[in-house]
Amino acid sequence: MGRLRALSPLALLCLCLPAACLDPCVPSITPPKPVVPFGGSVDLNCTCANASELNWEVSVLKKTQQGPGWVSLSITNISDWSPVDLKCYRQGDLEGRAIVEDMLHVYELSHLEIHPDAEIVARRKGQVFCRVYARTSEESEPDLTLTLSSGGHEWLRTHRNHSLQYDFVLKPEQDGTELVCEAKLHLGQQELSVNTSVTLRVWAIPYNVSVWAEQMSVAAGGNIVVRCHAQGNPPPVLHWVLPSEDGVQRLDNDSIVTISTAQSAHNGTYKCVAENRFGSVTGQTDVVVEASYQVWVAPVVVVVMLIVVAVSGFLWYSFK
């Protein structure tokens, strides 16, 4: 009996009623490590299966609802940047073992902007800027990641910066490229993200300028056809610099020049100038106009025949 007198009332109760010695349940808060946007609201829940009554202790105005083994918490219109201490406890717990604590963090992640250069020209240096506004109730700088990507390919990533700048050089065929800027904020156990995108318009000085003649060598009196093709953004305007303008026709928005009766004056270099507001590029080809056989043979034959006739007449009169 001496030993029994030395035991505490709780130990005596455990000897008599072993079920009474089971550890009380420990409350749990869901979601854990909660976050809430500045000016927003949050709903939390605290549960403890074996508890008859639970309660919250917080430093802001709150609204609670209770039931067997649970108590909910609602906080609205959070307008203070200080983190909110959360404490859920089982009432009547004399040992202090049925208490759980957490912290509610406040954040703002907004105003994500992406700004490329007003005018991007292919094969020339361009820039794009991406900015975001982020703030949290933590004392340290926000754990923020900014990423710039296109077509699933990452161009640039920065950490703990609110802006990024990327320099690039694009090809003409990259007109219509979509750039995506994404901001990810790591807070508590959550990853919060926002993104925005822009479609790039890539302008281009004329390129792939090609000039060719259907026949590089044409007999006098023949037909000359020279074509020009060029790409660019905006589409280039074509101009010709020709050996002669006599008898020249321009077709299909000046992409074709034709001469139905070639003369020696049309012999030479045919230049096509492709031009838009970003510059001009010239292509060229040579066309040779050959002297026609009939042009010089026919007069010679006539002269020879006249000489023959004259000589024959002279000889006939001489020997008559």
Side-chain angles (χ1 to χ4, degrees):
M1 290 299 294
R3 287 185 177 182
L4 291 178
R5 290 192 186 97
L7 293 176
S8 66
L10 178 60
L12 289 173
L13 182 61
C14 290
L15 290 175
C16 302
L17 301 171
C21 295
L22 293 175
D23 288 337
C25 67
V26 178
S28 62
I29 297 175
T30 55
K33 300 187 181 301
V35 298
V36 60
F38 184 80
S41 304
V42 65
D43 294 319
L44 303 173
N45 199 31
C46 179
T47 58
C48 190
N50 297 332
S52 59
E53 189 174 358
L54 298 168
N55 208 346
W56 287 96
E57 182 179 314
V58 296
S59 57
V60 295
L61 293 176
K62 65 182 185 298
K63 181 180 180 181
T64 62
Q65 289 185 327
Q66 292 178 316
W70 65 270
V71 59
S72 66
L73 170 69
S74 294
I75 306 175
T76 61
N77 192 25
I78 298 176
S79 56
D80 190 339
W81 280 106
S82 301
V84 179
D85 293 322
L86 303 172
K87 181 183 292 186
C88 179
Y89 60 93
R90 186 171 66 89
Q91 294 188 174
D93 175 34
L94 301 179
E95 302 293 330
R97 291 177 294 176
I99 298 175
V100 62
E101 296 181 271
D102 210 332
M103 185 173 290
L104 175 65
H105 286 283
V106 184
Y107 74 92
E108 186 171 357
L109 182 63
S110 61
H111 309 307
L112 180 61
E113 301 173 347
I114 183 169
H115 298 289
D117 284 347
E119 197 166 70
I120 298 172
V121 182
R123 300 189 178 93
R124 297 179 187 174
K125 181 180 176 180
Q127 291 182 334
V128 61
F129 296 88
C130 185
R131 300 183 181 90
V132 69
Y133 175 79
R135 181 179 177 181
T136 70
S137 55
E138 295 182 335
E139 293 183 359
S140 59
E141 283 292 320
D143 187 0
L144 180 70
T145 301
L146 270 180
T147 305
L148 184 70
S149 63
S150 176
H153 175 69
E154 185 177 298
W155 286 18
L156 183 65
R157 176 189 294 261
T158 65
H159 189 226
R160 295 193 185 277
N161 290 318
H162 289 76
S163 65
L164 63 79
Q165 173 186 321
Y166 185 72
D167 298 336
F168 57 85
V169 176
L170 297 182
K171 299 177 181 179
E173 53 268 26
Q174 289 179 285
D175 182 40
T177 295
E178 183 182 44
L179 284 185
V180 178
C181 185
E182 182 177 36
K184 291 184 178 181
L185 179 64
H186 304 272
L187 185 62
Q189 294 183 346
Q190 297 194 40
E191 182 181 80
L192 310 160
S193 66
V194 291
N195 66 74
T196 188
S197 64
V198 65
T199 300
L200 299 182
R201 187 70 191 274
V202 182
W203 304 102
I205 190 173
Y207 63 99
N208 291 342
V209 179
S210 57
V211 183
W212 70 101
E214 290 188 354
Q215 291 180 297
M216 302 295 294
S217 180
V218 179
N223 187 36
I224 295 177
V225 179
V226 183
R227 301 176 184 272
C228 180
H229 174 75
Q231 294 176 272
N233 191 13
V237 176
L238 304 180
H239 306 284
W240 289 92
V241 180
L242 307 174
S244 174
E245 291 289 339
D246 292 342
V248 174
Q249 287 186 319
R250 290 174 169 81
L251 307 173
D252 196 13
N253 293 324
D254 278 352
S255 65
I256 304 173
V257 294
T258 65
I259 303 169
S260 59
T261 305
Q263 304 296 328
S264 59
H266 298 128
N267 183 84
T269 300
Y270 287 67
K271 295 182 179 180
C272 176
V273 182
E275 183 177 15
N276 63 17
R277 63 190 180 92
F278 297 104
S280 64
V281 176
T282 300
Q284 65 183 46
T285 189
D286 292 328
V287 176
V288 177
V289 179
E290 298 177 344
S292 175
Y293 177 77
Q294 290 80 4
V295 170
W296 61 268
V297 170
V300 170
V301 171
V302 172
V303 172
V304 171
M305 290 181 65
L306 290 175
I307 293 174
V308 170
V309 170
V311 171
S312 299
F314 175 77
L315 292 176
W316 185 78
Y317 279 109
S318 297
F319 292 99
K320 183 176 176 181

